[in-house]
Amino acid sequence: MSLPAPRRVAVIGTGAIVTGGHLPALRAHAERVELVAAVDVDEGRLDAFRRLAGAQVAGFTSADAMLDTVRPDLVLIGTPPALHRAQIVSALEAGAWVLCEKPLCLAPAELDDIAAAEEASGAYAAVVFQHRYGSGAVHARELITRGELGAPLVAHCQTTWHRDAGYYALPWRGRWATEGGGPTMGHGIHQYDLLLHLLGEWEEVRAMAARLVHDIESEDVSTALVRFRGGALATVVNSVLSPHEVSRIRIDCADATVELTHLYGHGNDDWVYTPAPHVRPERAAAWRTPARNVPSSHTAQLGALLDAYDRGVRPPGSGPDARAALEFAAALYKAAFTGRPVRAGEIGPGDPYYTAMHGDHPDWAPKERA
C-alpha cells in the first residue's frame, strides 16, 4: 500500500514555540509533511526562520496572502492568543486543517465560530495539548479507564511556575483581551487538560484567584476544588509565583496511587505507581510503563493528527477535547470571581463568562487606560 503524498504545511508565527516545538516535529515527520510557507509580521524574524527551516519555505507577512497563494493542507499556529480565532477560521475556510497553540481561543463563545468553520469546510482545528500524547500518559489513561487501578478517589493537579516582571513586559501578556487570562489560561491549562483527560467529566468547581505580585489585569494565581462525575475530588493549583517550579499530577485510586512529576514535558520514568497494601505484587507488576518511551511533545501530537488526517476523521485535541479545557477554565474563573460553585454545563450563551473569562466582573474586567 502506497503512502499518501506528504501534507503541505504552513506555519503562522515563527517565534520560539514554532522554532523550538513545531519545527523539530515537522523534521521528525519529514516523510509525511513538507513545510512550504511561513508567516510573520516581523520580517527579520521571518527571514531568520527561513534560514533555519530551508530555502524552499516561502515567506509571507500576511496570513491571508499565504492562504490564498499556497493553499496548504495543514496550518500550524504559534501566534499570541488574541489572534488565534481569526487565524484558525481563515485557515479552515481555506480548506486547511489546523494545529494551534493553547489556548485555542479566548472564550467558549469563540469555539462556536471555529465549530461553524469546521462544519462548513470539512477541515478540523486542534489545540496543542502535547502532554496527552506521551506513552506514559496513554498508559495511565488506559489503566484508569479500564479500572485496573480501582476507582479514582482523590487527585491533585499542580502547575507551580515562576514568571518575573520581565515576562509581563510584553504588552500582550497579563491582559484579558490579548492573553485571555493569567496562569489559569496560559500555563496550568496543559496540566489540568491532562487531568481531565485521565479522569473524565467534572461536575462542580469551587475556586479562588488573586493578583498577589504582578501588576496585570488577570490573576497570577488560582486554586480550585473539583468534583468529578465519577465521584473523585481534586485540587487544581495554577501559579506563576513559585520559585521551585514543578508540574505534577497525583491520582489516588482505590488500589494504587499514580503520580506524574515533571516541568515542561514527561517521559515514562516520570510516572510512578504505588500499589495499595492489599494489592498483590504480580498485579502491580502489570502496571509497569510501556517498553517504548515516547516523550510528550509536539512531535507525538503531530503524529496523531497526521494519522487522523490520513483516515479523514476528527483529530484528537479538537472539538469536544478542546472545548473541555476551555469550559473548565471559564468555570474556574466564574467560581473564583463570583464566590459561588459552578456546575458543568451552566456557562452558555447569555452568561458573561461565555464571552470573556473575566465575565465583566467589576473587580476583574479590564479598566480603561489613561
Side-chain angles (χ1 to χ4, degrees), residues 271-295:
W271 294 81
V272 176
Y273 293 84
T274 302
H278 64 267
V279 173
R280 299 186 306 276
E282 58 271 24
R283 181 182 171 198
W287 301 336
R288 291 174 184 156
T289 53
R292 184 172 178 234
N293 183 19
V294 179

Side-chain angles (χ1 to χ4, degrees), residues 103-119:
L104 192 66
C105 52
L106 298 186
E110 294 190 356
L111 289 171
D112 298 342
D113 298 332
I114 294 170
E118 286 186 334
E119 179 69 21

Side-chain angles (χ1 to χ4, degrees), residues 109-155:
E110 294 190 356
L111 289 171
D112 298 342
D113 298 332
I114 294 170
E118 286 186 334
E119 179 69 21
S121 68
Y124 298 106
V127 62
V128 175
F129 283 145
Q130 71 270 25
H131 293 324
R132 290 183 174 208
Y133 299 88
S135 53
V138 172
H139 183 65
R141 187 170 190 263
E142 289 175 349
L143 291 176
I144 291 170
T145 56
R146 291 203 314 260
E148 297 291 339
L149 307 180
L153 304 172
V154 183

